[in-house]
Amino acid sequence: MEWSFLFFFNSALLGVGLAMDAFSVSMANGLHDPQMSRRRGVQIAGTFAIFQAVMPMTGWVCVHTIVELFSFFEKFIPWIALILLGYIGGKMLVDGIKGAEAEEATESNAELFGIMQEALDGKVERVVVSTRLTDAPAVVTSEGGMSLAMVQVLKSQPGTDELPEMHLVLEVNAKHPVFATLQAAHEADDDEKVRTYAGLLFDQALLVEGILPDNPLAFAQAVAELMK
């Protein structure tokens, strides 16, 4: 560390500040207890002396230790940056590949998704293959400025007449067995089954988000029908 006049000046200012802090608290204690014993006064003064000395020294030791550790790891910084950039670049590449595959799958199932969108009767603007789902069969997302949950919170507030326009999208998991069932029903020209499954998937996705379907009774009846 370079010893200079500025270092001593800063240390002196720090000492004056700490002394003023201790003086004000000691004065308040004295006014509160005018009959304070000498032993009590020594205890208060000693406590301030110890802590006001230890705290700056502890801070200096911690900073000095961090500087030394940083100097030790300084030679590894380029490698750390390389690893981070490699991870970010690799993730972007994987996401791009997934996005291209999902877009291609959406185009190849355009007719099936058109029937599903028609069955939902304007509830969603698009039906697409999802890039984010791993376990769930479907999810409803919003392309507007607010999430579904936030819109539901606003709806529950009094005096909320105008809500932001939402553009809902039903994303389906192409790797889920339900999607294979949808494709099989479409290939068998069983469009009624496709429409039923589309409604179930949409309502199920809403329930996962904590939102009740528009017609809970119809949803329960459709589930019961599948269980027969």
Side-chain angles (χ1 to χ4, degrees), residues 136-140 201-213:
V139 66
V140 176
L201 286 175
F202 180 78
D203 290 343
Q204 182 186 21
L206 290 181
L207 287 172
V208 171
E209 296 293 332
I211 303 172
L212 283 177

Side-chain angles (χ1 to χ4, degrees), residues 98-128:
K98 287 183 178 180
E101 292 177 349
E103 186 176 351
E104 183 179 351
T106 300
E107 293 178 356
S108 62
N109 292 277
E111 188 175 348
L112 169 62
F113 291 160
I115 297 173
M116 295 175 65
Q117 182 178 348
E118 181 183 353
L120 293 174
D121 194 21
K123 294 179 181 178
V124 298
E125 292 193 356
R126 292 184 296 125
V127 181
V128 299

Side-chain angles (χ1 to χ4, degrees), residues 35-104:
Q35 304 300 324
M36 182 183 298
S37 63
R38 181 176 299 179
R39 180 179 178 183
R40 177 64 175 168
V42 171
Q43 287 178 347
I44 294 175
T47 301
F48 273 110
I50 292 173
F51 277 94
Q52 301 289 36
V54 169
M55 286 189 295
M57 290 300 298
T58 303
W60 183 86
V61 171
C62 291
V63 172
H64 185 68
T65 304
I66 292 173
V67 170
E68 287 187 348
L69 291 175
F70 183 79
S71 300
F72 175 76
F73 283 103
E74 191 173 1
K75 58 184 177 182
F76 298 107
I77 290 179
W79 296 102
I80 296 173
L82 179 62
I83 293 172
L84 291 175
L85 290 175
Y87 170 76
I88 295 173
K91 189 175 185 303
M92 291 176 63
L93 180 62
V94 172
D95 290 343
I97 294 174
K98 287 183 178 180
E101 292 177 349
E103 186 176 351
E104 183 179 351

Side-chain angles (χ1 to χ4, degrees), residues 171-228:
E171 298 184 10
V172 296
N173 186 358
K175 297 180 180 180
H176 198 278
V178 172
F179 184 70
T181 303
L182 284 168
Q183 288 180 315
H186 177 60
E187 293 173 359
D189 294 328
D190 191 356
D191 292 344
E192 187 62 31
K193 186 175 183 179
V194 172
R195 292 187 178 92
T196 301
Y197 273 46
L200 286 172
L201 286 175
F202 180 78
D203 290 343
Q204 182 186 21
L206 290 181
L207 287 172
V208 171
E209 296 293 332
I211 303 172
L212 283 177
D214 294 337
N215 192 341
L217 179 60
F219 174 75
Q221 290 175 343
V223 172
E225 189 68 25
L226 288 176
M227 295 173 66
K228 290 182 179 179

